[in-house]
Amino acid sequence: PGTITLSDSTKLVGQIKELNGVKPFKKVIFISSDGIEKKYKPSMILRYSTQIKTYVSVQGKFMEVIHKGSRVSLLLHGKNKWYSTNFIGPGIPIIPFPTKKTTYYLQREDPRFAKEVKKSMFKVVFSNYFKDCPELATLISEGEYKHKDIRKIVWEYNACKNR
């Protein structure tokens, strides 16, 4: 079972079939209780939920909600990419293999926008992003918290804002 929330906030209950093959996070199939299938793109809906996960529509793609916070939420966008091995030797074919690239995003009040969490300039960008929680901003600017700590940073920021 799952739900889809349309752009006008109407909720539909039925079955969710994710299309994570060729174009992951680009569309989802909703199967209504009477068995009718309809494909939805991110621009057509606000969010969809399965029994396990919730996805929101942001900036033309679906992003998984990792942590729904009171002030900032952590989102994840994943992509399957195909890479080919380099030349191995005579008579040995080049074999493509899949890898998964994931990118974290932070979302505040505006549900249409999310900020990508990049490693480059992390200290400068995110100490400023979280400046309204001075203790956390200091830990980021001094390098105590790094890109890999983004889940903990989001949790601490939401706790800081609720004091």
Side-chain angles (χ1 to χ4, degrees):
T3 61
I4 283 187
T5 305
L6 301 175
S7 297
D8 66 359
S9 297
T10 303
K11 285 191 180 183
L12 305 175
V13 179
Q15 296 291 320
I16 301 290
K17 189 165 139 185
E18 297 170 286
L19 297 175
N20 288 334
V22 180
K23 293 185 178 182
F25 299 97
K26 293 286 185 185
K27 47 182 128 161
V28 64
I29 295 177
F30 177 76
I31 306 167
S32 64
S33 56
D34 55 3
I36 297 172
E37 288 189 12
K38 183 170 181 182
K39 290 181 187 175
Y40 288 95
K41 294 180 181 178
S43 61
M44 302 164 73
I45 64 176
L46 297 174
R47 75 186 60 81
Y48 75 91
S49 299
T50 65
Q51 287 181 320
I52 301 169
K53 297 178 180 180
T54 297
Y55 295 85
V56 291
S57 174
V58 181
Q59 297 163 201
K61 51 193 158 196
F62 291 121
M63 296 187 194
E64 181 183 345
V65 178
I66 300 298
H67 175 77
K68 176 76 174 132
S70 58
R71 298 287 186 220
V72 69
S73 295
L74 181 63
L75 310 177
L76 177 72
H77 183 261
K79 289 183 179 179
N80 290 322
K81 290 197 173 194
W82 287 89
Y83 294 95
S84 295
T85 57
N86 291 331
F87 179 73
I88 299 171
I92 300 172
I94 296 176
I95 303 167
F97 61 95
T99 64
K100 190 160 192 160
K101 178 187 179 219
T102 55
T103 306
Y104 286 110
Y105 290 81
L106 298 176
Q107 186 179 52
R108 290 197 186 216
E109 297 83 22
D110 187 347
R112 298 166 298 157
F113 179 76
K115 179 163 187 60
E116 184 176 347
V117 180
K118 295 181 178 181
K119 285 183 183 179
S120 64
M121 301 288 293
F122 182 82
K123 282 198 253 187
V124 173
V125 172
F126 289 97
S127 60
N128 186 52
Y129 188 85
F130 295 113
K131 69 184 174 191
D132 54 339
C133 182
E135 307 87 17
L136 182 60
T138 300
L139 290 170
I140 294 168
S141 67
E142 291 177 353
E144 292 292 320
Y145 284 166
K146 299 178 179 2
H147 179 270
K148 67 179 176 62
D149 302 311
I150 193 62
R151 288 178 185 232
K152 185 175 183 177
I153 291 168
V154 167
W155 185 86
E156 287 192 21
Y157 177 75
N158 284 313
C160 177
K161 291 296 290 178
N162 289 329
R163 288 185 190 162

